[in-house]
Amino acid sequence: MRPRRVYETVVYATNFEAAAAFYRDVLGLREVSDGAFRLDDDALLLLFDPTRSSQHGRGVPSHGPSGAVHVAFAVGDGELDAWRERFRDQGIELEQEIDWPRGGRSIYVRDPAGNSVELVEGDLWPR
């Protein structure tokens, strides 16, 4: 027995409004609740305030980062160049671009909270 998929990923941000706007308006994720973004039927991105989420006694175990976290999103074949243009048009600096040795490409930007956001074209990990 093993888990079947990633159900949700959490990104932490102290400026909730700016981070929510990035994921909603720049990446185009569908906000289904305050700070909850649905990618598709199987994946959810949650935006949490690290000060609140690290407090004990809030009904779920406390958690939170001590620095920037990383999240990667798959994009369709041939779409990475359009994403690069979209980021440029939004004034978002492209931090790095990598052509991976096993195939696939990635571009990296930072969200308003400083988290590393990667967009991946192709398959980076062997199956």
Side-chain angles (χ1 to χ4, degrees):
M1 181 168 56
R2 66 180 177 83
R4 295 179 303 171
R5 60 183 168 77
V6 174
Y7 181 74
E8 62 188 25
T9 298
V10 174
V11 174
Y12 299 90
T14 55
N15 185 337
F16 186 87
E17 291 77 18
F22 175 84
Y23 290 100
R24 181 185 57 245
D25 302 336
V26 176
L27 292 186
L29 303 184
R30 182 170 52 99
E31 193 166 10
V32 295
S33 181
D34 193 28
F37 300 86
R38 182 136 325 258
L39 281 73
D40 56 32
D41 289 339
D42 293 328
L44 203 61
L45 177 78
L46 303 177
L47 189 57
F48 284 1
D49 178 339
T51 304
R52 288 189 55 223
S53 68
S54 63
Q55 293 176 353
H56 295 281
R58 26 173 231 108
V60 296
S62 63
H63 55 83
S66 60
V69 298
H70 170 78
V71 61
F73 298 99
V75 300
D77 289 338
E79 292 182 357
L80 208 56
D81 293 332
W83 279 104
R84 185 185 304 103
E85 293 298 314
R86 183 176 190 159
F87 290 137
R88 190 195 74 220
D89 292 347
Q90 295 278 335
I92 297 168
E93 180 181 346
L94 186 67
E95 185 173 27
Q96 190 170 359
E97 182 168 355
I98 298 175
D99 289 320
W100 295 100
R102 293 187 194 140
R105 298 186 310 153
S106 296
I107 59 174
Y108 294 80
V109 297
R110 295 279 172 172
D111 73 7
N115 296 304
S116 176
V117 177
E118 176 185 10
L119 297 183
V120 177
E121 183 180 85
D123 195 3
L124 310 183
W125 300 99
R127 298 206 180 263

